[in-house]
Amino acid sequence: MSSFAVSGARLGIVRPGGGGASARSGAERRSGVDLPSLLFRRKDSFSPGTVLNCAGAPGKVLVPGGGNDDILSSADPALDAPQQPEESKIHETKSVVEEEATSAAAEARAEVDAKDKPEPSKVVEGTGKTSTIGLTKGAKQTVVEEKPRVIPPPGDGQRIYQIDPMLEGFRNHLDYRYSEYKRMRAAIDEHEGGLDAFSRGYEKLGFTRSAEGITYREWAPGAHSAALVGDFNNWNPNADTMIRNEYGVWEIFLPNNADGSPAIPHGSRVKIRMDTPSGVKDSIPAWIKFSVQAPGEIPYNGIYYDPPEEEKYVFKHPQPKRPRSLRIYESHIGMSSPEPKINTYANFRDEVLPRIKRLGYNAVQIMAIQEHSYYASFGYHVTNFFAPSSRFGTPEDLKSLIDRAHELGLLVLMDIVHSHSSNNTLDGLNGFDGTDTHYFHGGPRGHHWMWDSRLFNYGSWEVLRFLLSNARWWLEEYKFDGFRFDGVTSMMYTHHGLQVAFTGNYGEYFGFATDVDAVVYLMLVNDLIHGLYPEAVAIGEDVSGMPTFCIPVQDGGVGFDYRLHMAVPDKWIELLKQSDESWKMGDIVHTLTNRRWLEKCVTYAESHDQALVGDKTIAFWLMDKDMYDFMALDRPSTPRIDRGIALHKMIRLVTMGLGGEGYLNFMGNEFGHPEWIDFPRGPQSLPNGSVIPGNNNSFDKCRRRFDLGDADYLRYRGMQEFDQAMQHLEEKYEFMTSEHQYVSRKHEEDKVIIFERGDLVFVFNFHWSNSYFDYRVGCLKPGKYKMVLDSDDGLFGGFSRLDHDAEYFTADWPHDSRPCSFSVYAPSRTAVVYALTED
């Protein structure tokens, strides 16, 4: 036997004829049906009259009491009842800062067909778990009692109509949606023992280990035969054949070796070989916990990952409480090094996490955690949903990173992808059992034409089990503190938000185009997250502005904590294509404050997509190629650099000040990172015969030059210092979540915006040349104000035109509809924040 090391695991390769202690004949295996406790309920447990929809065999109808050879559960709920279209007049959402007009009442609506749907039978049972906070190795372990984690029962779902009366015009659709959610909750409670048990599919499917041996189960209803193959049995498809039960689950039990060691050694490569309708294929198990790409090979291999107890990482630090306001530092592990290489979990833990903490952020959002064969997909074409990417290290390394973040008081959010899956048939779920409809919709509905990926069938019982268990796995096993759900707009509409301009008309949200199955899944997963992990955060990436998105599920909403305020970066791109002399102050304020009442938003000035090659970050829009020649302090600046640095700071501060209850920044953008992201790639041949040139698989542009932001001889340092001061200002005053917020001035001629948040007054002068002496600033509270942030400070690359020791006393002089006011000097292209002081 020869071996090679990959990401810390030692992987054995058994040569043909090699044998080994663990390679035994199939006759020595025993099926799970012989175990003392049966996993699956008998088929006579079906409810009378239930009709079963077989996901694995389209068109086949199974009758209660008959053989079901296609699904793990006794039924697939087939949540595909048609929805009728509903119409509404355009509705302008209310601002949290200033009143926005609402449009007229809704027009007449059509009835929604809410036909009855099948119920599944009970499959998996389980008991709740309590978690412990571990200590260092060898130390006494303290068990911490947790409060019972309970998923609350559904409410009546009616409060949404009190929050937004415009929804009354769409009551049929919304009540139908909520009835579907309640029906699914009831079915899961009845047949699975509740959402708690249902979401622990990883305890039954995939590889599980007991004192007696290893059980492997896989739901593959389309397969004709299956065998477990790998290093442990010399990849012999006849050695460990699997037995299929009536629900389409293939199963095998591998008893321990005579010496008590497991039949499959930790680190062994494994796959499932299946004879399928599309031929014989080897697939990575769908529930695999780790997979690697061997050097020089293209396909990935599943890894049986079960390290000995002494090698398992033990968490040492409790998870932080959820902060009132989120300041999120969005990161990608692989490109987080200044060096042109793929960075590691360990290096990110030691080098990047302390930087994030120092900069003043209180949460780190990590992209590309779920394994993805194509590195340049930014992690969004997931192939192995339960496996952390092996490019960056081992699962234990990732746990160590998360534990260190918790020690620093940082929340760790995962960018989770449940909106689609890679179309990779070698490494992923696509065509897993040889059919087109295993985990996904069949035909065009199952393919995302723009993303070139597969789309889940959220009406499938087993897809629900898979995705709900996946969300829980990352929270339970790795102690993530929440998720940013990617591509939620694509999930919620059958058109996926493509070539659709959302105008605010409520008929765009609640009609034929709405995928109610997907929305119900989102309600279920938010139930799960908030019930079992009350401190966890759920953020949804939705560009459509769907009403009720961030309203609790019990009240009739979808249940997210935050919506990504995606209109904001789009607005800044639109403005940056123009001269700032033409910017409209009212337009900026409207975009930043145009969000739904009682629905929180995470705002951001620019997205990670803008950092990719072919696009432009804000810094590049503002300064372009001058960044390469005029950022050194020992040489003269240029008007473009001066303008760019000033506006870069102002854009970020006004976005944080008005845009939402949370703020997000992609790593490196805080100091205006000058290089784009270009993943290593070779030439690509297109179907039309043309060739897109590659970059010789170079990592030179797939990194973050943190050294530029740290260099005290470069102007990037001032931009980084400003971002740090901005984060610490929010940490001190918590202005993003303050109850008092009011925009008092949007002056188009002066190019001035003034607003209040809490005890802070923000003054922005966007004028390119005019500075204003004795500029009157209205405010609510009388007293003495002092300057607490000045974008023109020399430390931040400004011109130091303001006296930071000055004090500003209010007068009983009403101004801009405010009862008090004070006078300031407002330099051009400068933002200043004033705080009410007690002394």
Side-chain angles (χ1 to χ4, degrees):
M1 176 186 289
S2 63
S3 63
F4 58 91
V6 178
S7 298
R10 195 136 182 99
L11 312 176
I13 305 177
V14 182
R15 302 299 181 191
S22 63
R24 299 189 296 277
S25 68
E28 294 181 39
R29 313 297 186 198
R30 66 178 185 270
S31 165
V33 295
D34 296 326
L35 293 176
S37 94
L38 293 176
L39 172 63
F40 308 118
R41 183 176 277 188
R42 292 165 33 202
K43 55 184 175 286
D44 61 2
S45 64
F46 291 105
S47 304
T50 302
V51 179
L52 302 180
N53 178 3
C54 170
K60 181 178 179 181
V61 178
L62 304 178
V63 182
N68 177 358
D69 58 357
D70 286 274
I71 50 178
L72 171 63
S73 302
S74 305
D76 183 325
L79 306 177
D80 286 327
Q83 299 93 44
Q84 299 300 322
E86 301 166 62
E87 301 177 17
S88 161
K89 291 187 177 180
I90 294 177
H91 170 65
E92 284 287 326
T93 56
K94 291 183 179 180
S95 162
V96 299
V97 177
E98 52 183 358
E99 286 291 320
E100 302 290 351
T102 56
S103 57
E107 297 176 333
R109 62 204 181 269
E111 289 289 323
V112 177
D113 177 16
K115 71 169 61 173
D116 292 334
K117 295 179 181 177
E119 304 288 355
S121 78
K122 184 174 181 179
V123 179
V124 180
E125 305 229 7
T127 57
K129 287 185 174 180
T130 57
S131 64
T132 61
I133 299 174
L135 302 175
T136 54
K137 292 180 180 177
K140 183 178 179 180
Q141 184 168 324
T142 302
V143 178
V144 178
E145 279 190 40
E146 286 186 338
K147 294 180 180 179
R149 299 187 296 180
V150 178
I151 301 172
D156 61 11
Q158 298 299 299
R159 186 167 178 261
I160 53 173
Y161 304 113
Q162 301 171 25
I163 294 171
D164 186 356
M166 288 292 294
L167 296 173
E168 283 285 355
F170 299 89
R171 179 179 281 275
N172 282 351
H173 178 98
L174 290 164
D175 285 353
Y176 166 71
R177 183 180 85 179
Y178 204 73
S179 70
E180 284 300 286
Y181 154 73
K182 291 174 73 174
R183 189 190 65 78
M184 287 302 302
R185 280 291 305 269
I188 291 170
D189 288 346
E190 179 181 357
H191 303 296
E192 298 283 356
L195 201 52
D196 185 347
F198 188 50
S199 62
R200 294 203 303 270
Y202 49 80
E203 294 180 356
K204 298 295 181 182
L205 288 153
F207 290 95
T208 59
R209 184 166 175 205
S210 66
E212 292 77 26
I214 297 169
T215 301
Y216 170 56
R217 299 185 182 97
E218 195 74 70
W219 176 61
H224 305 312
S225 65
L228 181 61
V229 296
D231 295 333
F232 74 100
N233 65 4
N234 199 27
W235 299 88
N236 182 356
N238 300 313
D240 296 296
T241 57
M242 302 176 71
I243 295 176
R244 171 180 172 154
N245 72 9
E246 57 192 305
Y247 310 111
V249 175
W250 297 90
E251 181 171 342
I252 189 169
F253 178 75
L254 292 79
N256 291 335
N257 297 320
D259 62 0
S261 62
I264 308 177
H266 165 59
S268 297
R269 298 179 301 171
V270 289
K271 286 193 174 183
I272 179 173
R273 178 165 297 176
M274 293 175 285
D275 181 9
T276 75
S278 58
V280 176
K281 67 190 295 273
D282 288 354
S283 294
I284 296 175
W287 298 70
I288 199 73
K289 306 304 190 298
F290 196 47
S291 64
V292 300
Q293 184 182 41
E297 294 186 3
I298 294 177
Y300 273 64
N301 282 289
I303 300 297
Y304 177 71
Y305 193 84
D306 185 21
E309 290 299 320
E310 62 272 15
E311 294 182 14
K312 292 181 180 178
Y313 186 82
V314 179
F315 284 90
K316 307 173 184 67
H317 305 285
Q319 294 177 247
K321 298 293 184 183
R322 184 199 305 191
R324 286 188 58 192
S325 56
L326 283 176
R327 300 183 303 278
I328 303 169
Y329 196 84
E330 186 181 22
S331 307
H332 184 287
I333 302 293
M335 65 177 69
S336 62
S337 171
E339 303 299 324
K341 64 178 184 180
I342 295 179
N343 207 11
T344 64
Y345 296 124
N347 185 271
F348 188 93
R349 175 196 66 207
D350 297 337
E351 301 295 333
V352 183
L353 286 179
R355 166 184 293 276
I356 296 170
K357 177 66 176 179
R358 185 177 69 252
L359 288 174
Y361 292 86
N362 58 17
V364 54
Q365 179 177 299
I366 307 180
M367 308 168 64
I369 289 294
Q370 295 165 292
E371 189 59 89
H372 46 292
S373 296
Y374 184 41
Y375 187 45
S377 73
F378 232 148
Y380 291 119
H381 281 213
V382 175
T383 44
N384 310 123
F385 283 78
F386 288 82
S389 181
S390 59
R391 289 183 181 86
F392 317 134
T394 68
E396 309 313 302
D397 293 336
L398 175 57
K399 293 176 182 178
S400 176
L401 181 160
I402 293 171
D403 199 27
R404 172 59 174 152
H406 291 162
E407 182 184 10
L408 293 171
L410 297 170
L411 268 64
V412 186
L413 307 178
M414 176 178 166
D415 197 344
I416 196 169
V417 183
H418 282 181
S419 51
H420 63 129
S421 175
S422 170
N423 68 359
N424 184 326
T425 56
L426 287 177
D427 307 321
L429 296 178
N430 188 20
F432 183 86
D433 70 346
T435 69
D436 189 48
T437 56
H438 186 198
Y439 284 93
F440 312 107
H441 287 291
R445 188 177 177 187
H447 295 263
H448 196 292
W449 62 266
M450 178 174 285
W451 294 345
D452 191 25
S453 56
R454 295 305 311 273
L455 298 171
F456 287 107
N457 176 7
Y458 302 101
S460 164
W461 191 257
E462 292 308 315
V463 171
L464 289 179
R465 187 196 308 277
F466 182 82
L467 295 177
L468 290 169
S469 298
N470 185 243
R472 182 168 185 176
W473 169 253
W474 295 107
L475 296 173
E476 191 79 23
E477 182 71 13
Y478 289 90
K479 311 298 182 189
F480 276 98
D481 301 293
F483 300 114
R484 177 259 197 194
F485 280 83
D486 174 70
V488 176
T489 302
S490 175
M491 297 172 67
M492 295 192 299
Y493 307 98
T494 55
H495 53 59
H496 312 301
L498 301 176
Q499 299 177 328
V500 173
F502 289 97
T503 65
N505 186 314
Y506 275 29
E508 297 165 351
Y509 306 117
F510 310 120
F512 273 131
T514 305
D515 188 336
V516 174
D517 292 341
V519 176
V520 168
Y521 164 69
L522 293 171
M523 296 165 76
L524 291 171
V525 76
N526 279 312
D527 257 356
L528 173 76
I529 293 169
H530 295 121
L532 298 182
Y533 309 91
E535 294 295 325
V537 176
I539 304 169
E541 185 200 32
D542 171 42
V543 71
S544 74
M546 174 178 271
T548 77
F549 190 75
C550 294
I551 300 297
V553 175
Q554 286 186 307
D555 296 333
V558 183
F560 284 99
D561 296 305
Y562 297 87
R563 181 204 312 271
L564 278 180
H565 201 346
M566 301 178 71
V568 174
D570 290 344
K571 173 57 67 175
W572 287 123
I573 292 174
E574 175 189 323
L575 293 177
L576 289 168
K577 293 178 180 179
Q578 313 166 12
S579 165
D580 55 308
E581 298 178 12
S582 63
W583 292 2
K584 302 296 184 183
M585 301 299 100
D587 191 23
I588 293 172
V589 170
H590 175 77
T591 300
L592 292 172
T593 60
N594 185 29
R595 49 192 193 273
R596 299 188 182 280
W597 185 49
L598 294 183
E599 298 196 39
K600 294 186 292 186
C601 287
V602 172
T603 190
Y604 55 121
E606 53 190 327
S607 71
H608 56 242
D609 290 334
Q610 290 173 240
L612 289 170
V613 62
D615 209 332
K616 291 183 179 182
T617 62
I618 288 178
F620 213 87
W621 276 108
L622 290 168
M623 294 178 279
D624 206 64
K625 62 183 181 180
D626 279 20
M627 285 198 295
Y628 298 116
D629 297 313
F630 300 101
M631 293 299 281
L633 291 172
D634 63 354
R635 65 178 63 183
S637 181
T638 67
R640 176 179 284 175
I641 292 295
D642 290 341
R643 170 185 179 270
I645 291 176
L647 289 178
H648 189 272
K649 293 178 289 187
M650 296 181 72
I651 287 170
R652 302 174 81 77
L653 181 59
V654 75
T655 299
M656 176 183 257
L658 283 179
E661 294 74 25
Y663 177 82
L664 179 141
N665 168 68
F666 179 65
M667 62 178 186
N669 286 347
E670 68 273 11
F671 62 84
H673 198 286
E675 294 180 346
W676 57 83
I677 297 168
D678 190 8
F679 284 92
R681 53 191 169 82
Q684 180 183 4
S685 299
L686 300 180
N688 61 10
S690 61
V691 176
I692 300 176
N695 63 5
N696 295 319
N697 292 304
S698 170
F699 286 88
D700 186 59
K701 295 295 188 294
C702 195
R703 54 176 170 158
R704 294 281 90 179
R705 294 290 306 276
F706 293 123
D707 54 308
L708 300 178
D710 293 342
D712 56 10
Y713 55 87
L714 295 176
R715 291 184 168 87
Y716 297 108
R717 176 67 176 271
M719 299 162 75
Q720 178 171 284
E721 291 286 347
F722 177 79
D723 191 83
Q724 178 172 313
M726 183 174 75
Q727 304 303 324
H728 284 287
L729 181 75
E730 206 289 323
E731 180 180 27
K732 179 177 180 180
Y733 291 97
E734 296 184 328
F735 58 80
M736 285 196 295
T737 54
S738 62
E739 293 183 5
H740 173 63
Q741 36 201 326
Y742 187 88
V743 174
S744 60
R745 172 159 287 223
K746 300 169 290 184
H747 201 285
E748 300 300 345
E749 187 174 334
D750 292 349
K751 299 298 179 185
V752 169
I753 297 172
I754 299 175
F755 59 88
E756 305 162 24
R757 294 204 75 165
D759 288 338
L760 301 182
V761 178
F762 293 72
V763 179
F764 291 81
N765 179 8
F766 279 96
H767 203 282
W768 51 96
S769 61
N770 289 353
S771 298
Y772 305 109
F773 293 91
D774 293 325
Y775 201 81
R776 182 61 55 177
V777 175
C779 61
L780 173 66
K781 298 180 180 180
K784 181 175 70 174
Y785 286 80
K786 294 199 69 172
M787 200 179 305
V788 290
L789 185 63
D790 167 24
S791 70
D792 196 49
D793 192 325
L795 177 65
F796 308 144
F799 297 100
S800 301
R801 289 172 285 179
L802 291 167
D803 179 5
H804 295 165
D805 295 326
E807 297 177 338
Y808 303 85
F809 294 90
T810 62
D812 295 331
W813 182 350
H815 188 71
D816 288 340
S817 301
R818 312 310 285 149
C820 307
S821 63
F822 57 95
S823 294
V824 302
Y825 171 47
S828 59
R829 285 184 178 146
T830 296
V832 182
V833 183
Y834 300 89
L836 183 67
T837 61
E838 298 297 333
D839 55 353

